[in-house]
Amino acid sequence: MQATRNIKSDDLFKLKSVADPQLAANGKDLIYVETLISEEKNDYVSNLFYINVTEKSKAVQWTFGEHRNHSPRWSPNGQQIAFVSNRSGKNQIYVLNNNGGEAQPITNCVNGASNPVWSPDGTKLAFNVSLGKEEDLYSKEEKKDEKNKKLTPLEVDKMKYKSDAVGFYNGKFKQVAIVDLVSGEMELLTEGESDYHLQSWSPDGRHLAVTADLSEDLDFSFLNDLYLLDVQTKQLQKITNGTGYFGNATWSPNGKYIGLIGHEREFANATLSKIWVFDVEENELKCLTSDSELLVGDFAIGDFQQGTVSPGLLWSEDNNSFYFLATDHGNTVVYYGALSGELYPALLDQQHVYGLTTGGNVNTAVVAVSKPTLPGELFLLDVPTGDLQQLTFTNEAFTKEVKLAGVEEIEFKSKDDWDLHGWLMKPANYQEGEKYPLILEIHGGPHAMYANTYFHEFQTLAAQGYAVLFINPRGSHGYGQKFVDAVRGDYGGRDYADLMEAVDYVLENFDFIDESRLGVTGGSYGGFMTNWIVGHTNRFKAAVTQRSISNWISFYGVSDIGYYFNEWQIKAELEDIETLWKHSPLKYVNEVETPLLILHSEKDYRCPIEQAEQLYIALKHRKKETKFVRFPESNHELSRSGKPNLRIDRLNYIANWFNEYIK
């Protein structure tokens, strides 16, 4: 089937995200989550699908309806699936037998339930629940008359009182509870004014691994420690020593070891995550990758996948070896590790592995893979040979219908002799001998990584006739500790130079790019950098800044990370106004000559909208060419998981602005 048309922004409604694969211990039964976007509901719909991987059977849908069904987890004997669904109006945990029948609700908590974890004998489930001071597991929800709802003030006595993910602090804390599947009785295991994050259940059934920050002053603490929670006594045993941030705790099958992913914050939030193992019998914690530059986990940036899950260390039956995801030089890959410190790649290719499951097997894994022209599918990996066999073909019909632009990898030396890496995407209808405009895309973070993955925004721009350049400037993950740390204290310095030198490189090496028709865009840190660029060069004909930062002085205190992010990243506190202002794009507003479109979400608490308001008014006050677009009821994640119609509006605003000023 020949591709018949270019991709459009509203093709989001035709694409489906395939994520969170879970392979049963028998190595053959696979459950996963498929998410689509309902145009009618203007919302996301997720359901569970099953595949027998040994037979390579066709996927069979196991849940139905227009709800969000997700987080499937196999029971130890492989006969049941626990999952989370909002079919009742709130997220609750359900159990479904693998031989069919209706899913049965297991929880009915006032604020919902999440994160199901099976007990080793399969008779209980542990889960997370959010509770306020006067609430318990059996609290009944009061019916609210929204029309006559009485407004009340929000009392604030802490600095961490809002979050871009959940909004304003509501007096609730995340607790751990268990439910008996036979009797239906629920029991709360933690309490107090701290959040407890459930990780896993010990093979002997005696302990739950949980993480929490139990510091007295949480406003000044940025830790996450591992604790063992005794299921009977509810006592906590602290495993890590309050020096860093740890999570993804998984037990070896014999219960002797606990694998962790974390770091000790040596470089604040720019520190590479490493592999740690706690020896339960010896009461000893050891870092297995202390001398490695490998970044453990998936830190790739994308705008399509829904419900991806970090698997942590996946132990094998031998209690000695394990598999994990790692971020490396523009790819995420599967690695094999062992207690001896042995590390080597089990799947190393030009791709983004955003899901991994083994069921505890040594030689077999299922991976979720995306590439620039592959939105995302599941593959069966034969570990010894590295062979991949495709299991799902969810987006095959779509990818045959539309023209997707491929990428060419680029590598070059910066002027100060650093290795830089990125990609150039040709226009979808590229023809030899033609000249095309170029859009420079800049990722957020800044500690993230562009990767060999599907990016809907890039594809829609390529379909409009643009070449798209995206690179990982210093500050990006995937290239070692020195590289990722280099941006701290130097925003607008060598990171800016890296991006400009990337533009110079492609202009020198690709003759199809029209140097007189250049555009630039980016979000979050990429929005900051877009603002910085237009205040320092006029080489771009148009720019679009998204969810950006323009003023580090006013950023202090208004962001959910603002009171510490300045210190970590700009290396300046509020008293150092001179340094904060030096790194603020707003300082250079008089130099802006590039037409600038400003896109921002009303409820962005990460980069609050006042940052966009200041920039817009400053530009208009100086008679600069600009437009300001505010997206209602949206937060910092608009481009990735916001309301679908607004995501499409955003893509159209970007393309239309460039079409007006560049084409």
Side-chain angles (χ1 to χ4, degrees):
M1 179 179 175
Q2 186 74 25
T4 57
R5 65 176 179 86
N6 286 344
I7 197 170
K8 301 179 295 183
S9 58
D10 60 5
D11 280 327
L12 270 177
F13 290 118
K14 295 187 176 183
L15 285 162
K16 297 175 182 178
S17 171
V18 179
D20 196 10
Q22 296 290 325
L23 188 62
N26 62 15
K28 70 173 185 178
D29 293 322
L30 176 73
I31 197 87
Y32 65 93
V33 181
E34 180 181 294
T35 302
L36 56 83
I37 301 175
S38 167
E39 188 169 7
E40 181 181 352
K41 290 184 61 178
N42 191 33
D43 208 350
Y44 303 86
V45 174
S46 300
N47 278 298
L48 308 185
F49 284 73
Y50 167 85
I51 291 178
N52 184 314
V53 301
T54 58
E55 298 176 0
K56 314 295 188 302
S57 65
K58 185 178 179 181
V60 177
Q61 188 168 346
W62 271 16
T63 66
F64 299 85
E66 296 201 336
H67 306 291
R68 298 297 296 268
N69 301 289
H70 58 92
S71 305
R73 300 295 179 262
W74 288 103
S75 62
N77 63 7
Q79 300 300 305
Q80 295 175 300
I81 286 282
F83 66 98
V84 178
S85 176
N86 67 351
R87 62 186 67 184
S88 67
K90 289 185 177 180
N91 282 331
Q92 302 289 354
I93 296 172
Y94 291 74
V95 168
L96 178 66
N97 290 324
N98 70 351
N99 58 2
E102 289 292 324
Q104 299 300 312
I106 301 301
T107 64
N108 186 24
C109 301
V110 61
N111 301 314
S114 63
N115 191 19
V117 173
W118 286 92
S119 65
D121 62 5
T123 65
K124 297 181 176 66
L125 279 166
F127 58 94
N128 273 126
V129 60
S130 293
L131 296 173
K133 289 182 179 180
E134 305 301 323
E135 294 176 329
D136 59 39
L137 288 171
Y138 294 95
S139 296
K140 293 184 179 180
E141 183 178 10
E142 297 180 6
K143 291 186 178 180
K144 299 177 181 178
D145 182 355
E146 294 295 331
K147 183 178 179 180
N148 297 311
K149 182 180 178 181
K150 182 180 179 181
L151 296 176
T152 58
L154 173 66
E155 295 183 5
V156 175
D157 60 3
K158 57 181 66 180
M159 288 193 286
K160 295 178 183 176
Y161 72 92
K162 62 180 177 180
S163 160
D164 185 68
V166 298
F168 290 113
Y169 167 68
N170 59 10
K172 304 181 192 306
F173 291 92
K174 187 172 290 186
Q175 307 294 351
V176 175
I178 57 175
V179 57
D180 187 298
L181 297 184
V182 177
S183 68
E185 292 185 5
M186 296 188 293
E187 182 181 9
L188 192 63
L189 299 185
T190 62
E191 60 183 6
E193 297 187 2
S194 295
D195 288 316
Y196 293 87
H197 305 274
L198 175 62
Q199 302 290 321
S200 53
W201 209 317
S202 66
D204 63 8
R206 295 175 55 192
H207 295 93
L208 292 171
V210 301
T211 54
D213 186 351
L214 301 186
S215 305
E216 289 188 9
D217 191 346
L218 292 177
D219 280 336
F220 291 90
S221 179
F222 304 95
L223 307 174
N224 202 42
D225 280 305
L226 173 67
Y227 293 85
L228 298 188
L229 173 61
D230 191 300
V231 176
Q232 295 297 323
T233 68
K234 304 182 184 180
Q235 296 298 305
L236 289 168
Q237 176 190 350
K238 191 175 184 180
I239 301 304
T240 51
N241 55 7
T243 59
Y245 199 93
F246 299 89
N248 296 103
T250 58
W251 299 78
S252 62
N254 62 4
K256 185 178 179 181
Y257 303 104
I258 304 175
L260 294 169
I261 297 176
H263 57 76
E264 293 189 302
R265 303 190 68 256
E266 298 96 326
F267 301 91
N269 63 331
T271 311
L272 299 187
S273 295
K274 297 183 179 297
I275 292 175
W276 301 71
V277 171
F278 177 70
D279 188 319
V280 177
E281 294 178 359
E282 299 296 330
N283 196 36
E284 180 183 15
L285 180 66
K286 180 181 179 181
C287 182
L288 297 186
T289 58
S290 58
D291 298 325
S292 173
E293 287 286 279
L294 188 68
L295 173 62
V296 180
D298 174 12
F299 289 85
I301 286 284
D303 68 348
F304 170 64
Q305 302 301 339
Q306 300 291 322
T308 59
V309 173
S310 177
L313 268 61
L314 299 178
W315 291 89
S316 300
E317 306 102 317
D318 60 13
N319 296 293
N320 173 70
S321 60
F322 47 81
Y323 295 93
F324 61 94
L325 294 181
T327 295
D328 184 29
H329 205 76
N331 303 292
T332 56
V333 297
V334 179
Y335 259 77
Y336 166 93
L339 293 175
S340 62
E342 183 181 8
L343 294 173
Y344 64 80
L347 178 62
L348 186 63
D349 205 349
Q350 304 297 301
Q351 58 196 12
H352 173 203
V353 182
Y354 62 91
L356 171 68
T357 179
T358 65
N361 297 284
V362 175
N363 295 322
T364 302
V366 173
V367 290
V369 174
S370 178
K371 298 180 181 181
T373 57
L374 179 71
E377 301 289 357
L378 300 183
F379 294 78
L380 182 65
L381 169 65
D382 182 82
V383 176
T385 65
D387 290 340
L388 284 174
Q389 297 183 54
Q390 191 166 343
L391 294 173
T392 64
F393 300 85
T394 310
N395 292 299
E396 183 179 48
F398 174 79
T399 55
K400 287 182 177 180
E401 175 187 350
V402 301
K403 300 174 185 177
L404 293 178
V407 300
E408 182 169 338
E409 200 164 359
I410 60 172
E411 294 187 270
F412 61 97
K413 288 280 189 181
S414 68
K415 290 181 179 178
D416 61 344
D417 205 35
W418 284 48
D419 292 319
L420 296 176
H421 174 235
W423 300 264
L424 180 65
M425 178 179 284
K426 289 183 178 179
N429 292 326
Y430 172 81
Q431 292 184 355
E432 195 77 32
E434 294 291 323
K435 287 279 191 177
Y436 296 93
L438 173 76
I439 305 299
L440 170 65
E441 288 269 5
I442 309 170
H443 69 62
H447 309 309
M449 182 188 74
Y450 277 142
N452 278 298
T453 193
Y454 178 82
F455 219 114
H456 194 66
E457 179 178 329
F458 297 177
Q459 290 291 345
T460 58
L461 287 172
Q464 295 266 351
Y466 295 97
V468 181
L469 171 63
F470 52 108
I471 77 156
N472 288 318
R474 65 196 73 189
S476 303
H477 268 314
Y479 305 89
Q481 184 63 77
K482 181 180 179 181
F483 193 89
V484 70
D485 189 53
V487 73
R488 295 173 63 224
D490 191 38
Y491 275 43
R494 281 306 314 177
D495 52 351
Y496 165 64
D498 288 348
L499 292 163
M500 294 303 98
E501 289 168 23
V503 174
D504 293 337
Y505 176 84
V506 296
L507 289 175
E508 292 170 6
N509 290 275
F510 298 90
D511 58 8
F512 65 86
I513 298 174
D514 185 348
E515 64 179 350
S516 68
R517 292 188 291 163
L518 304 179
V520 59
T521 185
S524 195
Y525 164 82
F528 156 83
M529 186 52 68
T530 300
N531 297 340
W532 185 268
I533 285 172
V534 298
H536 287 79
T537 180
N538 293 326
R539 70 188 303 185
F540 296 93
K541 289 194 69 176
V544 181
T545 184
Q546 308 170 50
R547 57 189 185 279
S548 72
I549 292 172
S550 65
N551 183 351
W552 290 110
I553 300 172
S554 68
F555 184 74
Y556 178 91
V558 298
S559 165
D560 64 347
I561 60 173
Y563 71 95
Y564 54 85
F565 193 82
N566 287 3
E567 179 185 354
W568 293 358
Q569 292 292 312
I570 308 302
K571 293 189 174 180
E573 297 193 47
L574 189 58
E575 294 80 2
D576 192 356
I577 297 294
E578 183 178 348
T579 298
L580 293 175
W581 188 237
K582 170 188 170 185
H583 291 281
S584 296
L586 196 63
K587 176 182 179 181
Y588 309 97
V589 69
N590 287 329
E591 310 304 319
V592 177
E593 300 297 334
T594 308
L596 181 64
L597 175 64
I598 303 170
L599 306 180
H600 220 105
S601 295
E602 294 284 0
K603 291 186 176 181
D604 188 333
Y605 294 149
R606 180 60 42 86
C607 296
I609 200 167
E610 59 91 21
Q611 293 285 307
E613 291 170 334
Q614 291 184 70
L615 181 61
Y616 171 71
I617 293 300
L619 289 169
K620 291 294 284 187
H621 193 210
R622 289 157 178 79
K623 305 293 184 180
K624 308 288 186 178
E625 189 69 26
T626 188
K627 181 186 286 186
F628 184 19
V629 180
R630 305 170 70 119
F631 292 87
E633 299 301 317
S634 303
N635 68 1
H636 199 65
E637 295 299 305
L638 168 65
S639 65
R640 295 178 277 264
S641 58
K643 278 294 182 183
N645 71 305
L646 296 180
R647 290 178 66 185
I648 292 167
D649 286 343
R650 169 188 162 275
L651 292 171
N652 290 336
Y653 273 115
I654 294 170
N656 291 341
W657 188 260
F658 287 137
N659 289 345
E660 179 178 355
Y661 288 98
I662 295 180
K663 278 193 170 180

